[in-house]
Amino acid sequence: MKNYIKIKDIPDLSETIKEAIFLKMNPLAISSLGKHKTLVMLFFNSSLRTRLSTEKAAKNLGMTVMILNIKDSWSFEFKDGTVMNMNTSEHIKEAAQVISQYADIIAVRAFPTLKDKPKDESEFVLNSFKRYATVPIINMESSIAHPLQALTDAVTISELSEKKTPKVVLSWAPHPKALPQAVANSFVEIMQNLDVDLTITHPKGYELNPEITKHTKISYNQDDALKDADFVYVKNWSSYTNYGKVLSKDSHWMMTKEKLGNAKFMHCLPVRRNVVVEDAVLDSEQSIVIQQANNRTYAAQVVLKNILENL
Ligand code: CP
């Protein structure tokens, strides 16, 4: 693996999942692979899980970790040929090359604007780092993808499934704020590469990018979609077609114990209780969100391991 920007960068998903499960059982099995190597993590946005699990993963491999919250640094310019006489202080051309001298791997979190669709879809922050950095890049959630979360989700379903082909449902949920489509996009993409029966359910107007959903089943009827589900992954996202807009806050889409049936409940976290999902689900044995968050470490560790082996 040279970079981990998108799901397609995983060379062999089934092998990668097996490796992540091995690392979960033996987190320090290759604790010298990253000796004298440095991971620099750059956060343009907040994080709890991604930040701590990726740092833990790197340390399990013996790496040194440096973290920079971009709000504490200079404001970056991303456009070429700009006269920088306004608010930006440092061009990404210099910044990415300078950071590359301190890092063996750079990981970046940069959310979308949710206002300018072409700009978001160009992945301008992540791709600028890829263009100008001289070391591998890891995506810690970009405008349109969250591949570390998706790999975690694939590991979690593989670990806990009691069936060869479990029924997996991605169900939209209400939320007061406009959220990115990144988690949903990457979840759909990785599930399309696993032996699962996937259905997406959401209100009209919340269709994800059809280039991502492709032929995946989509239902506007949540009850129908949830029937006989083994895993229910709940997530809010803002509209893709009416870009970045909150079209519905309909609380009927909140996940309840009754609707969940016998399925296991998944969510990437953070989650708003009694808006996205009721307490009775999160506090039940059917919720696997804590195990899911634990698996973030081993998904990050397997990605770092694969990149380190190719340095
Ligand atoms: N799921 C996830 O990416 O969590 P954080 O935003 O806390 O990193």
Side-chain angles (χ1 to χ4, degrees):
M1 201 184 278
K2 295 265 181 261
N3 297 286
Y4 189 52
I5 306 272
K6 53 190 185 307
I7 301 299
K8 287 193 178 71
D9 291 329
I10 301 172
D12 180 333
L13 180 57
S14 143
E15 270 309 306
T16 305
I17 291 170
K18 275 190 213 153
E19 257 192 296
I21 292 171
F22 170 81
L23 289 169
K24 186 174 180 177
M25 300 301 147
N26 309 276
L28 302 177
I30 40 170
S31 59
S32 54
L33 180 69
K35 201 171 168 195
H36 305 310
K37 303 284 183 204
T38 301
L39 171 68
V40 170
M41 297 202 283
L42 304 175
F43 287 91
F44 287 79
N45 306 96
S46 310
S47 171
L48 186 157
R49 279 143 289 273
T50 306
R51 180 172 175 154
L52 296 178
S53 63
T54 308
E55 179 168 355
K56 184 167 180 193
K59 288 183 171 167
N60 282 348
L61 294 167
M63 297 185 83
T64 299
V65 179
M66 297 196 291
I67 300 174
L68 180 65
N69 295 320
I70 298 297
K71 68 173 173 48
D72 300 328
S73 177
W74 304 107
S75 54
F76 292 156
E77 177 60 57
F78 290 92
K79 282 200 197 109
D80 282 339
T82 316
V83 178
M84 288 170 56
N85 60 356
M86 297 296 279
N87 298 326
T88 53
S89 308
E90 175 154 17
H91 202 282
I92 191 67
K93 280 188 191 180
E94 284 78 51
Q97 290 180 76
V98 167
I99 296 165
S100 298
Q101 297 177 117
Y102 311 143
D104 296 282
I105 302 173
I106 299 174
V108 181
R109 164 164 284 200
F111 290 171
T113 63
L114 289 181
K115 288 180 171 56
D116 186 335
K117 191 175 185 176
K119 191 175 173 187
D120 289 345
E121 294 204 307
S122 76
E123 292 276 40
F124 71 101
V125 177
L126 201 66
N127 282 330
S128 297
F129 275 100
K130 192 166 169 227
R131 186 168 168 200
Y132 297 118
T134 55
V135 298
I137 302 294
I138 294 179
N139 180 350
M140 294 195 295
E141 190 170 348
S142 62
S143 296
I144 58 170
H146 196 351
L148 281 176
Q149 179 66 54
L151 181 55
T152 302
D153 302 334
V155 168
T156 308
I157 289 175
S158 303
E159 248 187 335
L160 297 177
S161 181
E162 288 160 10
K163 292 183 183 164
K164 185 180 172 295
T165 309
K167 179 174 176 182
V168 176
V169 179
L170 171 63
S171 182
W172 180 91
H175 197 283
K177 288 171 70 177
L179 299 188
Q181 297 101 27
V183 169
N185 286 343
S186 293
F187 182 74
V188 169
E189 281 189 290
I190 209 157
M191 287 300 117
Q192 288 166 341
N193 286 286
L194 266 194
D195 188 4
V196 303
D197 171 14
L198 177 65
T199 301
I200 308 170
T201 183
H202 55 70
K204 281 192 178 151
Y206 279 97
E207 293 76 11
L208 294 165
N209 182 349
E211 286 177 24
I212 290 174
T213 54
K214 296 190 183 115
H215 301 298
T216 300
K217 279 174 276 181
I218 296 170
S219 171
Y220 299 122
N221 185 321
Q222 193 189 35
D223 291 336
D224 281 354
L226 290 172
K227 225 167 272 168
D228 301 324
D230 297 298
F231 293 88
V232 175
Y233 198 106
V234 174
K235 183 73 185 87
N236 169 269
W237 60 88
S238 57
S239 175
Y240 176 72
T241 40
N242 198 345
Y243 192 63
K245 295 283 181 298
V246 175
L247 307 179
S248 167
K249 292 181 186 171
D250 184 354
S251 61
H252 290 104
W253 280 81
M254 179 177 79
M255 189 51 54
T256 63
K257 196 97 180 3
E258 192 185 347
K259 283 197 260 180
L260 186 65
N262 295 319
K264 295 191 188 326
F265 173 80
M266 299 179 75
H267 191 285
C268 61
L269 303 181
V271 69
R272 291 191 182 224
R273 282 177 171 255
N274 304 308
V275 175
V276 170
V277 53
E278 68 174 4
D279 283 343
V281 172
L282 277 172
D283 297 333
S284 76
E285 302 250 307
Q286 284 167 258
S287 171
I288 55 170
V289 297
I290 306 301
Q291 287 152 272
Q292 199 181 341
N294 185 32
N295 284 340
R296 290 296 308 268
T297 299
Y298 310 105
Q301 198 169 331
V302 76
V303 166
L304 287 167
K305 172 186 175 288
N306 275 280
I307 293 176
L308 285 168
E309 285 169 345
N310 281 288
L311 282 180

